[in-house]
Amino acid sequence: PFWFVYRDMAFTLKDQGYYQVTNARLALTIASKLITLDKEATIKAVEGAKWPGRFETLSYFGHKVVIDGAHNVPAIEELLKTLSYYKDERIGIIFSSIKEDQAKDCIALLTAAHYPVILTHFEDERAIDMEALVTRGTTYMPAFEDAIKQAVLQYEAVVVTGSLHFISQVRKMITEEK
């Protein structure tokens, strides 16, 4: 969890990305300019806020899967900052992207951080041929469903990231298989 203080209020963000601290502070600053914040209601609202697909922790047959729509270099950098707080967990990453995304640079950042990365495919007319982007530190599995099934058996936590279109398909698969 991440803790932060805003004025006279202390917050704990559980199962959130580190970047959500900055987002929450910004939202609190704007809200405080528009209305008088009720301390209890504000803490409850901020701590209870969830944004599907943004460092969202799901359970897949009892295994931890985090989905995060980090689809460009700044977003991957923020994701890596968050993952640095999970040093005790063996983490595997599954990544897929669409043509507009900065796929090569994102993959390079993930592998430079020494995470095992599985590149995969999802159904979208703009999806990149991820197999062509395999480099040292990455492997390729054609079906993302198979990639997730394999990864949850190998790692304590699996982080699925990349295109928002990709993670929405993953989220649907995981939530429907419960």
Side-chain angles (χ1 to χ4, degrees):
F2 299 105
W3 299 272
F4 73 98
V5 174
Y6 180 84
R7 295 186 180 169
D8 64 339
M9 296 175 277
F11 299 90
T12 302
L13 299 182
K14 296 177 184 170
D15 295 324
Q16 296 285 329
Y18 183 73
Y19 53 85
Q20 295 296 29
V21 171
T22 302
N23 293 343
R25 285 181 183 272
L26 177 60
L28 288 165
T29 299
I30 293 168
S32 69
K33 301 283 184 195
L34 301 172
I35 61 172
T36 301
L37 299 177
D38 174 87
K39 185 177 178 178
E40 252 183 65
T42 302
I43 291 170
K44 185 177 179 180
V46 170
E47 290 184 348
K50 301 289 181 212
W51 188 357
R54 294 296 187 184
F55 211 81
E56 179 181 10
T57 302
L58 302 171
S59 177
Y60 181 68
F61 296 106
H63 300 276
K64 181 178 177 180
V65 176
V66 174
I67 58 173
D68 191 278
H71 59 277
N72 57 38
V73 169
I76 291 290
E77 290 171 341
E78 291 299 318
L79 174 62
L80 290 171
K81 281 182 196 173
T82 300
L83 293 180
S84 72
Y85 289 90
Y86 293 85
K87 292 178 183 167
D88 295 338
E89 291 185 50
R90 284 186 359 242
I91 298 171
I93 296 179
I94 299 173
F95 181 84
S96 196
S97 190
I98 60 174
K99 292 178 185 169
E100 292 83 6
D101 294 338
Q102 304 168 18
K104 286 182 183 178
D105 294 336
C106 291
I107 294 165
L109 285 171
L110 294 169
T111 56
H114 305 289
Y115 290 105
V117 178
I118 301 170
L119 304 178
T120 192
H121 180 75
F122 69 106
E123 290 303 316
D124 188 291
E125 62 190 27
R126 298 176 295 159
I128 292 176
D129 174 12
M130 298 304 292
E131 188 173 19
L133 300 180
V134 171
T135 61
R136 185 179 184 149
T138 68
T139 57
Y140 175 74
M141 291 192 76
F144 75 83
E145 298 90 347
D146 293 338
I148 292 168
K149 288 174 186 171
Q150 179 179 321
V152 296
L153 298 175
Q154 290 181 283
Y155 305 105
E156 291 175 59
V158 175
V159 176
V160 181
T161 191
S163 165
L164 294 170
H165 299 272
F166 170 53
I167 65 154
S168 68
Q169 289 182 28
V170 170
R171 186 176 195 284
K172 182 178 179 184
M173 180 201 90
I174 290 173
T175 58
E176 287 179 357
E177 288 197 21
K178 283 191 171 185

